[in-house]
Amino acid sequence: MEEGEESRCENCIVRQFNYLRAMSKAELKKVSDSKVTKKVKKGESLFEEGDKLDGVFCVRDGVSKLSKLSANGKDQIVKLASKGEVIGQRSVIAEESTNLSAVAVSDMEVCFIPKDSIVHTLNQNPNFAVEVLRHMAHDLKEADDVIVNMSQKTVKQRIAEAFLYLKSNYGEDEKGFLNLALSREDIANVVGTATESAIRIISEFKKKGMIKTSGKKIGVVDEKLLQDLIEGF
Amino acid sequence: MEEGEESRCENCIVRQFNYLRAMSKAELKKVSDSKVTKKVKKGESLFEEGDKLDGVFCVRDGVSKLSKLSANGKDQIVKLASKGEVIGQRSVIAEESTNLSAVAVSDMEVCFIPKDSIVHTLNQNPNFAVEVLRHMAHDLKEADDVIVNMSQKTVKQRIAEAFLYLKSNYGEDEKGFLNLALSREDIANVVGTATESAIRIISEFKKKGMIKTSGKKIGVVDEKLLQDLIEGF
DNA sequence: TCGAAAAGATGACAATTATCATATATATAT
DNA sequence: ATATATATATGATAATTGTCATCTTTTCGA
């Protein structure tokens, strides 16, 4: 009996958004045959900092935070990865243990792809290698931007940016609340501040009518006010 | 008349340290024939943020700072590149204008390599592509580390780290002063703080016997004290 | 559905860092 | 060699951010 259509990488829509589209039919078939689909519950981890990865994870659904523990015991979230993104390639390519932990911030469905097929294709298909390279170049640019934000913007500005980022990347529901509801602690860890500071600033934004909250849900009310704050007014 | 031996990429020692070593003889010959060697004086720029790069720069001698201007007018130094490093590949590979400026912090000698030969080799030689990929994976990891440092360490800790970094990467002269003498402003821009704050902390370190200064030159005196401070004592 | 545990909120205070003013030293060009 | 610009240094003060304590609300498992 053949596997269902949608569970084959060849037919996976998610692939449209990542570098796996640069694989040939045959290569993709190999990937599909070796991949394992798993469900990961919110709060569970895909891997921990320091793990040696035997493959990469392709996100079919849900969102994962990629974070690194600092010496003082706080987690710094370096990136959020969602549908269509591939996690773990840096480690697999550099043949090093991961520098980041990956934890689901919403229920996820991911495909684990053993590294053999990735590495093999990298060495055989220059097209694929260049595509992965482009992707990593993009990640690097984003990381540079984060560095500049971290050091040159205030916590308030970074939190305001985070909300606009969440809105434009994950959208909002019918009631105008962000689809991706991060905890206050996660928000603090994204912008690199203390949880209490993040909470205080969120309260302030709410008072000023920039955002609204309902439990842990947060909605952007006045995008322009947030934008002005980011630009320094 | 043939060109002198040492000016040929094939014989360039610098290449030993970067991904150009993954090129074949023929590819390297092509690079060598198309490259242009230039001298860049301290303070001059190789390129500015937003420029479209037609190639990459291979550093033969000297050091360049790679920085990004923030909205508030300050420069954030994201990376220092020295002998053997290649600058500009991110932009060339992603086919985007650069996100960073490159300015010489000491007199430099660089080779400009037009992008055609790089791009051509990327598409033909998977070995080369993978090597470049590995290199970029490494840069990405370093960028992640910088993000965590920026958000989780104090300015003092970051300055202490900077000195240890400069010592281990560029060494010191007979008198124990760092070979790479960055201005106070550059140091501030590396760690992401105000110039006055950096100066104040440098004075404090000097008083405590952790470092010594002589004009703009700085020397590490007590590595352990610096290390302790970094680790939070 | 009840109760414990976790998350969110807020006050009080301390520590860190930025800003502005100004002084001194150093480098650079004529 | 001297004037001028630039870099370094330091004080005073304000603004930002972190820490600790405490309280309330929400979440979630037994």
Side-chain angles (χ1 to χ4, degrees), chain B residues 68-109:
Chain B
K68 188 164 158 48
L69 207 62
S70 72
N72 62 37
K74 278 191 189 162
D75 236 24
Q76 174 65 38
I77 296 176
V78 165
K79 188 179 162 65
L80 293 171
S82 47
K83 187 188 276 193
E85 294 196 72
V86 180
I87 304 176
Q89 71 266 32
R90 201 212 61 79
S91 163
V92 164
I93 286 162
E95 298 175 276
E96 298 168 343
S97 49
T98 44
N99 56 327
L100 303 173
S101 296
V103 174
V105 292
S106 63
D107 290 349
M108 299 183 77
E109 197 180 321

Coordinates of all heavy atoms in Angstrom, one line a residue, chain B residues 68-109:
Chain B
K68 N 27.2 48.7 11.0 CA 25.9 49.1 10.5 C 25.4 50.3 11.2 O 25.6 50.4 12.4 CB 25.0 47.9 10.7 CG 23.6 48.1 10.1 CD 22.9 46.7 10.1 CE 21.4 46.8 10.0 NZ 20.9 47.7 8.9
L69 N 24.9 51.3 10.5 CA 24.5 52.5 11.1 C 23.1 52.3 11.7 O 22.2 51.8 11.0 CB 24.4 53.6 10.0 CG 24.6 55.1 10.5 CD1 26.0 55.2 11.1 CD2 24.4 56.0 9.3
S70 N 22.9 52.7 12.9 CA 21.6 52.6 13.5 C 20.8 53.9 13.3 O 21.3 54.9 13.0 CB 21.7 52.2 15.0 OG 22.1 53.4 15.7
A71 N 19.5 53.8 13.6 CA 18.6 54.9 13.4 C 19.1 56.2 14.2 O 18.9 57.3 13.7 CB 17.2 54.6 13.8
N72 N 19.6 55.9 15.4 CA 20.0 57.1 16.2 C 21.4 57.6 15.8 O 22.0 58.4 16.6 CB 20.0 56.7 17.7 CG 20.9 55.6 18.1 OD1 22.0 55.5 17.5 ND2 20.5 54.7 19.0
G73 N 21.9 57.2 14.7 CA 23.2 57.8 14.2 C 24.4 57.1 14.7 O 25.5 57.5 14.3
K74 N 24.3 56.1 15.5 CA 25.5 55.4 15.9 C 25.8 54.2 15.1 O 25.0 53.6 14.5 CB 25.3 54.9 17.4 CG 25.6 56.0 18.4 CD 25.7 55.5 19.8 CE 25.7 56.7 20.8 NZ 25.4 56.2 22.1
D75 N 27.1 53.9 15.0 CA 27.6 52.8 14.2 C 27.8 51.6 15.1 O 28.4 51.7 16.2 CB 29.0 53.2 13.7 CG 29.1 53.1 12.2 OD1 28.0 53.1 11.6 OD2 30.2 52.9 11.7
Q76 N 27.2 50.5 14.8 CA 27.4 49.3 15.5 C 28.4 48.4 14.8 O 28.1 48.0 13.6 CB 26.1 48.5 15.8 CG 26.3 47.2 16.4 CD 26.8 47.3 17.8 OE1 26.4 48.2 18.6 NE2 27.6 46.4 18.2
I77 N 29.5 48.1 15.4 CA 30.5 47.2 14.7 C 30.1 45.8 15.0 O 29.9 45.3 16.1 CB 31.9 47.5 15.2 CG1 32.3 48.9 14.9 CG2 32.9 46.4 14.7 CD1 33.7 49.3 15.4
V78 N 29.8 45.1 13.9 CA 29.3 43.7 14.0 C 30.4 42.7 13.9 O 30.3 41.6 14.5 CB 28.3 43.5 12.8 CG1 28.0 42.1 12.6 CG2 27.0 44.3 13.0
K79 N 31.5 43.1 13.3 CA 32.6 42.1 13.1 C 33.9 42.8 12.7 O 33.9 43.8 12.1 CB 32.2 41.1 12.0 CG 33.1 39.9 11.8 CD 32.5 39.1 10.6 CE 33.6 38.1 10.1 NZ 34.1 37.1 11.0
L80 N 35.0 42.2 13.1 CA 36.3 42.7 12.6 C 36.8 41.6 11.7 O 36.8 40.4 12.0 CB 37.3 42.9 13.8 CG 36.9 44.0 14.8 CD1 37.8 44.0 16.0 CD2 37.0 45.4 14.1
A81 N 37.3 42.0 10.6 CA 37.9 41.0 9.6 C 39.3 41.3 9.4 O 39.7 42.4 9.1 CB 37.1 41.1 8.3
S82 N 40.1 40.2 9.5 CA 41.6 40.4 9.3 C 42.2 39.4 8.3 O 41.4 38.7 7.6 CB 42.3 40.4 10.6 OG 41.8 39.3 11.4
K83 N 43.5 39.4 8.3 CA 44.2 38.5 7.3 C 43.6 37.2 7.0 O 43.3 36.4 8.0 CB 45.6 38.3 7.8 CG 46.5 37.6 6.8 CD 47.9 37.2 7.3 CE 48.8 38.4 7.3 NZ 50.2 38.0 7.5
G84 N 43.3 36.9 5.8 CA 42.8 35.6 5.4 C 41.2 35.6 5.3 O 40.6 34.7 4.8
E85 N 40.6 36.6 5.9 CA 39.1 36.6 5.8 C 38.6 37.2 4.5 O 39.3 38.1 3.9 CB 38.6 37.4 7.0 CG 38.9 36.6 8.3 CD 38.0 37.0 9.5 OE1 36.8 36.7 9.5 OE2 38.5 37.7 10.4
V86 N 37.5 36.8 4.1 CA 36.9 37.3 2.9 C 35.6 38.2 3.3 O 34.8 37.7 4.1 CB 36.4 36.2 2.0 CG1 35.8 36.7 0.7 CG2 37.7 35.3 1.6
I87 N 35.5 39.3 2.7 CA 34.5 40.3 3.1 C 33.5 40.5 1.9 O 34.0 40.5 0.8 CB 35.1 41.6 3.4 CG1 36.1 41.5 4.5 CG2 34.0 42.6 3.8 CD1 36.8 42.8 4.9
G88 N 32.2 40.5 2.2 CA 31.3 40.9 1.1 C 30.6 39.7 0.5 O 29.7 39.9 -0.3
Q89 N 30.9 38.5 0.9 CA 30.3 37.3 0.3 C 28.8 37.2 0.5 O 28.1 36.7 -0.3 CB 31.0 36.0 0.6 CG 30.8 35.5 2.0 CD 32.0 36.0 2.9 OE1 32.5 37.0 2.7 NE2 32.3 35.2 3.9
R90 N 28.4 37.7 1.7 CA 27.0 37.6 2.1 C 26.2 38.3 1.0 O 25.2 37.8 0.5 CB 26.7 38.1 3.4 CG 25.4 37.6 4.1 CD 24.8 38.6 5.0 NE 24.4 39.8 4.3 CZ 23.3 40.0 3.5 NH1 22.5 38.9 3.3 NH2 23.1 41.1 2.9
S91 N 26.6 39.5 0.7 CA 25.9 40.3 -0.2 C 25.9 39.7 -1.6 O 24.9 39.7 -2.3 CB 26.5 41.7 -0.2 OG 26.2 42.4 -1.3
V92 N 27.1 39.3 -2.0 CA 27.3 38.7 -3.4 C 26.4 37.5 -3.6 O 25.7 37.3 -4.6 CB 28.7 38.4 -3.7 CG1 28.9 37.5 -4.9 CG2 29.5 39.7 -3.9
I93 N 26.4 36.6 -2.5 CA 25.6 35.4 -2.6 C 24.1 35.6 -2.6 O 23.4 35.0 -3.4 CB 26.0 34.4 -1.5 CG1 27.4 33.9 -1.7 CG2 25.0 33.3 -1.3 CD1 28.1 33.3 -0.5
A94 N 23.7 36.5 -1.7 CA 22.3 36.8 -1.6 C 21.8 37.7 -2.8 O 20.6 37.9 -2.9 CB 21.9 37.4 -0.3
E95 N 22.7 38.2 -3.5 CA 22.4 39.2 -4.6 C 21.6 40.3 -4.1 O 20.6 40.8 -4.7 CB 21.7 38.5 -5.7 CG 22.5 37.4 -6.4 CD 21.7 36.6 -7.4 OE1 21.0 35.6 -7.1 OE2 21.9 36.9 -8.6
E96 N 22.1 40.9 -3.0 CA 21.4 42.0 -2.4 C 22.5 43.1 -2.1 O 23.7 42.7 -2.1 CB 20.9 41.7 -1.0 CG 19.8 40.6 -1.0 CD 19.5 40.1 0.5 OE1 20.3 40.4 1.4 OE2 18.5 39.5 0.6
S97 N 22.1 44.3 -1.9 CA 23.1 45.3 -1.5 C 23.6 45.0 -0.1 O 22.9 44.3 0.6 CB 22.5 46.7 -1.6 OG 21.3 46.8 -1.0
T98 N 24.8 45.4 0.2 CA 25.3 45.1 1.5 C 24.5 45.7 2.7 O 24.0 46.8 2.5 CB 26.7 45.7 1.8 OG1 26.8 47.0 1.3 CG2 27.8 44.8 1.1
N99 N 24.5 45.0 3.8 CA 23.8 45.6 5.0 C 24.9 46.2 5.9 O 24.5 46.8 6.9 CB 23.1 44.5 5.7 CG 23.9 43.3 6.1 OD1 24.8 42.9 5.4 ND2 23.6 42.7 7.2
L100 N 26.1 46.1 5.5 CA 27.2 46.6 6.3 C 28.2 47.5 5.6 O 28.3 47.5 4.4 CB 28.0 45.4 6.9 CG 27.2 44.4 7.7 CD1 28.1 43.2 8.0 CD2 26.6 45.0 9.0
S101 N 28.8 48.4 6.3 CA 29.9 49.2 5.8 C 31.2 48.5 6.2 O 31.3 47.9 7.3 CB 29.9 50.6 6.3 OG 28.8 51.3 5.9
A102 N 32.3 48.7 5.4 CA 33.6 48.1 5.7 C 34.6 49.3 5.7 O 34.8 49.9 4.7 CB 34.0 47.0 4.8
V103 N 35.2 49.6 6.8 CA 36.2 50.6 7.0 C 37.4 50.1 7.6 O 37.4 49.3 8.5 CB 35.6 51.8 7.8 CG1 36.7 52.8 8.1 CG2 34.4 52.4 7.2
A104 N 38.6 50.5 7.0 CA 39.9 50.0 7.5 C 40.2 50.6 8.9 O 40.1 51.8 9.0 CB 41.0 50.3 6.5
V105 N 40.5 49.8 9.8 CA 41.0 50.3 11.1 C 42.5 50.3 11.3 O 43.0 50.8 12.2 CB 40.3 49.6 12.4 CG1 38.8 49.8 12.4 CG2 40.6 48.1 12.3
S106 N 43.1 49.7 10.3 CA 44.6 49.8 10.1 C 44.8 49.8 8.6 O 44.0 49.5 7.9 CB 45.3 48.7 10.8 OG 45.0 47.4 10.2
D107 N 46.0 50.2 8.2 CA 46.3 50.2 6.8 C 46.1 48.7 6.3 O 46.5 47.8 6.9 CB 47.8 50.6 6.5 CG 48.0 52.1 6.8 OD1 46.9 52.8 6.9 OD2 49.1 52.5 6.8
M108 N 45.5 48.6 5.1 CA 45.2 47.3 4.6 C 45.7 47.0 3.2 O 46.0 48.0 2.5 CB 43.7 47.1 4.6 CG 42.9 47.2 5.9 SD 41.2 46.9 5.6 CE 41.2 45.1 5.5
E109 N 45.9 45.8 2.9 CA 46.1 45.3 1.6 C 45.0 44.3 1.3 O 44.9 43.3 2.0 CB 47.5 44.8 1.4 CG 47.9 44.7 0.0 CD 49.3 44.2 -0.2 OE1 50.2 44.5 0.7 OE2 49.6 43.4 -1.1

